[in-house]
Amino acid sequence: HIRPFIFLNQIMSELIIQSRRAIYVGGLEDNVKEPTLRAAMIPFGPIKSIDIPMDYVKGVHKGFAFVEYEDADDAAEAIDNMDGAELMGKVLSVSVAQPNQLKDFHNKAVWSTDEWFQKQAGIQSEAQQKENERQEQDRSELSQQIQLKQQ
């Protein structure tokens, strides 16, 4: 049931990239949020979407974003005006989004697998639990061997 979702998102990502409406915005300062980025990019034309990938382990975004404009000319205008510009004390790198940049964010929802939920909740799979138990047993046996040698 996930396959059609993934396939559709791949097609949509390819169409967006081919239309040159999506831009990559790198060098974002840690405190930049979606409203700030939107305010900086809206002067160039109507924005269809903004995606700021998060690093959930660190609790901050990854330092870059994707902005999709309604029109490719607006995206080009944003690139011309914002590449090398400063936002909140950091210089931005702005370019047309490339397929390899978008692939990890549009192929599937991060929550579409049990592994994501388990990682977020700190839950280990059975295989991970068995491996941890085996490692603990190995440490215990090694500790016993060391104690016997010391006697």
Side-chain angles (χ1 to χ4, degrees):
H1 64 288
I2 294 174
R3 283 277 183 228
F5 174 76
I6 293 170
F7 183 69
L8 180 61
N9 277 334
Q10 287 172 337
I11 291 172
M12 293 302 294
S13 292
E14 289 173 19
L15 289 174
I16 290 167
I17 289 167
Q18 288 174 359
S19 71
R20 303 180 69 79
R21 293 180 293 137
I23 63 172
Y24 166 85
V25 182
L28 294 178
E29 201 272 332
D30 287 344
N31 293 319
V32 171
K33 305 285 185 243
E34 191 269 342
T36 304
L37 185 58
R38 182 175 295 277
M41 304 309 272
I42 197 75
F44 309 107
I47 294 172
K48 189 169 182 178
S49 67
I50 295 178
D51 181 17
I52 305 176
M54 293 293 296
D55 181 335
Y56 292 102
V57 173
K58 295 179 183 175
V60 296
H61 62 72
K62 294 183 177 184
F64 62 91
F66 298 101
V67 178
E68 181 187 358
Y69 283 91
E70 295 284 339
D71 185 67
D73 290 338
D74 295 337
E77 190 71 21
I79 292 168
D80 289 343
N81 285 281
M82 296 301 288
D83 187 38
E86 192 174 302
L87 180 64
M88 294 181 70
K90 292 196 70 181
V91 177
L92 300 178
S93 172
V94 183
S95 61
V96 173
Q98 301 298 313
N100 62 329
Q101 293 172 321
L102 283 175
K103 71 179 168 87
D104 293 333
F105 302 103
H106 293 287
N107 282 347
K108 65 178 180 176
V110 295
W111 56 87
S112 64
T113 63
D114 288 339
E115 289 82 17
W116 185 85
F117 283 111
Q118 290 172 347
K119 183 177 178 183
Q120 299 307 313
I123 299 171
Q124 296 178 341
S125 68
E126 281 186 46
Q128 290 171 322
Q129 289 175 348
K130 287 180 182 179
E131 177 63 20
N132 288 347
E133 290 170 3
R134 187 190 62 74
Q135 288 177 355
E136 183 61 35
Q137 185 178 6
D138 289 348
R139 279 192 287 272
S140 176
E141 289 173 4
L142 183 60
S143 177
Q144 289 174 357
Q145 289 175 1
I146 291 171
Q147 287 176 353
L148 289 174
K149 286 182 182 181
Q150 289 177 348
Q151 292 176 354

